[in-house]
Amino acid sequence: MTTIESLNRCDAAGFADTLRGIYEHSPWIAERAAARRPFVSLAALKLALQDIVDAAAPDELLALLRAHPELAGKAAIAGQLTPESRGEQTSSGLDRCSPDEYARLQELNAQYNERFGFPFILAVKGPTGCGLTRPAIIDTFARRLQNQPADELAEALRQVHRIAEIRLNGLLGAEPALGALVMDWAEQLGAISDDATGLTCAYMTPAHQRTAARIADWMRGAGMRVHIDAVGNVVGRYAAATAGAPVLITGSHYDTVRDGGKYDGRLGILLPIALVRALHGRGERLPYELEVVAFSEEEGVRFRSTFLGSSALAGSFDPALLDALDADGVSLRAALEAAGHDPAAIPAIARERASLLGFVEVHIEQGPVLLERGLPLGVVSAIAGSSRYLVELTGAAGHAGTTPMHLRRDAAAAAAEIVLLVERRCSGHGALVGTVGQLEVPGGSVNVIPGACRLSLDIRAGDDALRLAAVDEILAGVKTICTRRGIDHRLWKLLEADAAPCAPRLMDALGESIERAGLPRFDLPSGAGHDAMRMAQLTDVAMLFVRCGNGGISHNRLETMSADDAEIAAQVLLDFLHTVK
Ligand SMILES: [Zn+2]
């Protein structure tokens, strides 16, 4: 049987020969990887193979892509596929297409080849390794046909690596069992929704309460003591080896945005439950109480008040929020009471700082950084702080035909300069990002010079000084632009939130666990808010980011990740739990 040890031990020719089928008709990849031995883990081997492809010449990459057969294409029909490809295409039922599906695939194959110059490549075994359905394959095919060529080239190569990953798992008999369990649970929770189509799990709705009950069941089954607290958090405790031990908290949120993804939040709940289940199964206790908290609310969908669950633990729950109303006029208080909760008990949820070792949150990245770098995991350095403003510009409306260009006070032209200023000022600073997400000409018409324009500014960075310096410069720039153009401007600050830095000792512990798994440590800030932000008011926090597929899309039904990434995240979190102090 092939193992990492046997691959490390054999001669270079034997190594290349064993890995011959991993990359389609491209033995050079394994040949070059032989010199990089020894590999400490399967993850390290996968990464080395990927690095070799990344470093290859453009014509080698094109040859690698072109070595792949079309899906249900001529080679498949003529029985000319490699055994690996044949098995994969058969497992997803591509050999049993209906005449319509077959015709559609041929049409897509032709359009794709014409547009990109190589065949469409998709790991048809999918993110779980169990196989995509034919409709899912056809949808993905049609969607990727719309990609820009450079993006699609990168995506095709990622699919090549995913195919290689699944083939390597088969060769080495490596089953991502914990990852597969987490993916399966996420799928089950994803089916509990407020909507008939897509996944919506808003605070205290029937779907939300059913989701909580299901999570509580899994926690109990994993050997935890479980309760659902007054704000709807599902709290599972895995007892320490000794009484009176400190507490380490991990977890994330189970509510979702409208038509959201299955892994946002839930990954950080399900992964530790799967680990506790494994620990409990072998009778192993940790030197601290491990608390897994499924936070009831983070997204702010129903009451526009975010972080309800984690702020209750952190002791910063604002009781005034109980009077907030949803779109149907139901108050937060009434929603809680209808679900059987006692709002008066919320303050008692707050935890004692002294008993805590810290808080660690696993979360899907919700962005493309890890995906672009080809890394499954990253250590979050800080959760970005943000500054938000609304800017109102007032110029002079005038006739689009009769007013000469030099006599205009065009509010939209000033806004356009501001948009570009934000883009320019925030580019090239790594963790600094700036966005104008709202831009409107109120009551504008095609033949009128815009007399007014409204726009928003959203500036974020993991480093407060970096963000505030950018905000100062952008606001000064807005003033300069408006003065020069004879535009009046008014400014409203909507939000100013400081960054929540992660604790270096916990970041280092996560980083060391990642390195022990055979992967490089990579630190990145989180541009999105997370429960860890609120928990940082209470204790030291850290976050482990897991790679997001599909270009890094999140808050969307296309959000995806793989069972293998869930598996490596589980291994790393377990190592962290074993070593953290
Ligand atoms: Zn989230």
Side-chain angles (χ1 to χ4, degrees):
M1 189 182 122
T2 307
T3 61
I4 285 292
E5 292 70 36
S6 72
L7 285 170
N8 282 335
R9 260 196 327 266
C10 67
D11 62 17
F15 175 85
D17 195 49
T18 310
L19 298 186
R20 172 181 308 280
I22 301 301
Y23 283 87
E24 198 85 359
H25 299 298
S26 304
W28 53 273
I29 300 169
E31 283 162 14
R32 289 178 204 174
R36 301 210 181 184
R37 294 178 295 166
F39 300 110
V40 305
S41 64
L42 175 55
L45 167 61
K46 289 174 181 172
L47 203 61
L49 293 166
Q50 183 183 300
D51 280 351
I52 283 161
V53 174
D54 285 347
D59 59 323
E60 287 176 315
L61 291 183
L62 203 56
L64 168 63
L65 295 175
R66 287 182 178 158
H68 287 74
E70 291 185 331
L71 292 184
K74 290 187 201 72
I77 297 151
Q80 293 163 345
L81 299 184
T82 60
E84 289 84 1
S85 278
R86 187 177 334 113
E88 287 152 8
Q89 295 210 15
T90 307
S91 76
S92 52
L94 282 170
D95 57 339
R96 298 185 297 279
C97 288
S98 71
D100 280 355
E101 286 170 335
Y102 182 74
R104 179 75 176 127
L105 279 168
Q106 299 320 314
E107 180 192 10
L108 288 166
N109 275 328
Q111 289 172 356
Y112 187 96
N113 245 310
E114 162 86 24
R115 178 159 157 79
F116 301 113
F118 50 84
F120 175 68
I121 301 167
L122 176 66
V124 292
K125 288 204 168 180
T128 60
C130 300
L132 295 171
T133 62
R134 284 195 303 271
I137 290 170
I138 291 171
D139 281 356
T140 306
F141 203 156
R143 184 160 44 76
R144 279 179 43 195
L145 193 54
Q146 308 304 318
N147 277 351
Q148 291 301 309
D151 294 341
E152 184 51 24
L153 176 69
E155 181 60 24
L157 287 168
R158 285 194 286 267
Q159 294 294 326
V160 167
H161 293 308
R162 174 68 184 144
I163 292 168
E165 176 167 62
I166 294 167
R167 290 178 181 178
L168 272 171
N169 288 349
L171 179 72
L172 291 156
E175 236 187 88
L178 285 170
L181 176 63
V182 168
M183 298 291 280
D184 178 48
W185 279 346
E187 204 61 42
Q188 291 187 46
L189 287 190
I192 307 174
S193 174
D194 296 325
D195 295 337
T197 61
L199 168 58
T200 303
C201 183
Y203 190 55
M204 286 300 143
T205 59
H208 188 266
Q209 294 173 58
R210 279 176 57 212
T211 302
R214 186 71 67 86
I215 293 170
D217 279 348
W218 287 331
M219 284 177 171
R220 269 183 221 103
M224 288 185 256
R225 286 198 320 276
V226 185
H227 72 279
I228 299 183
D229 71 17
V231 82
N233 296 324
V234 189
V235 183
R237 254 202 189 206
Y238 188 57
T242 54
V247 180
L248 180 77
I249 307 178
T250 183
S252 191
H253 60 98
Y254 65 91
D255 71 320
T256 70
V257 296
R258 268 185 215 299
D259 203 0
K262 295 188 281 261
Y263 310 101
D264 175 6
R266 284 115 185 263
L267 174 67
I269 300 166
L270 301 174
L271 199 74
I273 299 177
L275 285 182
V276 171
R277 186 173 175 266
L279 290 172
H280 180 62
R282 54 179 186 252
E284 183 186 338
R285 297 278 163 185
L286 296 166
Y288 46 83
E289 301 258 325
L290 179 64
E291 202 173 273
V292 182
V293 182
F295 294 113
S296 54
E297 206 280 346
E298 189 262 6
E299 303 282 9
V301 166
R302 184 166 173 195
F303 293 100
R304 285 180 293 284
S305 49
T306 53
F307 304 108
L308 292 176
S310 46
S311 62
L313 256 78
S316 59
F317 181 87
D318 176 6
L321 289 176
L322 293 170
D323 298 318
L325 302 179
D326 71 3
D328 299 322
V330 178
S331 72
L332 179 51
R333 182 192 319 276
L336 277 168
E337 284 168 351
H341 294 298
D342 174 13
I346 292 176
I349 296 170
R351 298 305 164 81
E352 285 292 330
R353 191 177 290 265
S355 63
L356 298 178
L357 278 178
F359 172 75
V360 60
E361 179 171 4
V362 180
H363 204 285
I364 189 162
E365 183 205 329
Q366 301 188 278
V369 176
L370 293 172
L371 188 71
E372 292 270 297
R373 294 208 165 230
L375 294 174
L377 301 175
V379 178
V380 175
S381 52
I383 300 158
S386 48
S387 303
R388 282 186 202 161
Y389 290 85
L390 194 68
V391 187
E392 204 173 85
L393 305 175
T394 311
H399 195 290
T402 60
T403 317
M405 296 307 284
H406 71 282
L407 294 179
R408 294 181 181 209
R409 290 166 55 216
D410 183 332
E417 261 198 75
I418 294 169
V419 173
L420 294 177
L421 165 69
V422 170
E423 185 185 52
R424 196 169 54 242
R425 181 57 184 81
C426 297
S427 297
H429 292 270
L432 177 68
V433 288
T435 307
V436 175
Q438 292 175 324
L439 180 61
E440 58 168 332
V441 177
S445 50
V446 68
N447 56 357
V448 178
I449 298 161
C453 192
R454 269 202 293 264
L455 66 155
S456 61
L457 304 176
D458 178 313
I459 320 288
R460 305 186 196 203
D463 178 326
D464 289 333
L466 183 67
R467 170 176 52 88
L468 294 172
V471 168
D472 283 351
E473 239 178 83
I474 287 167
L475 296 187
V478 168
K479 202 170 163 192
T480 308
I481 290 166
C482 290
T483 307
R484 173 163 41 76
R485 290 177 166 273
I487 304 280
D488 294 326
H489 77 285
R490 297 213 298 158
L491 206 67
W492 288 268
K493 187 190 275 191
L494 304 179
L495 172 83
E496 175 135 330
D498 286 347
C502 293
R505 77 177 169 92
L506 297 178
M507 286 175 63
D508 289 346
L510 277 176
E512 284 157 21
S513 296
I514 289 174
E515 284 168 353
R516 275 192 290 273
L519 293 168
R521 168 177 171 174
F522 174 70
D523 293 2
L524 73 169
S526 168
H530 292 292
D531 291 300
M533 241 169 131
R534 283 291 174 280
M535 293 300 283
Q537 300 167 341
L538 176 70
T539 185
D540 283 355
V541 302
M543 288 191 77
L544 179 68
F545 265 178
V546 182
R547 167 168 56 190
C548 198
N550 269 348
I553 194 164
S554 184
H555 281 185
N556 187 295
R557 65 172 70 188
L558 291 175
E559 177 190 275
T560 185
M561 56 174 287
S562 73
D564 286 81
D565 285 358
E567 179 73 20
I568 193 86
Q571 282 175 25
V572 164
L573 184 64
L574 182 62
D575 185 85
F576 170 87
L577 295 178
H578 278 142
T579 50
V580 68
K581 286 185 195 74

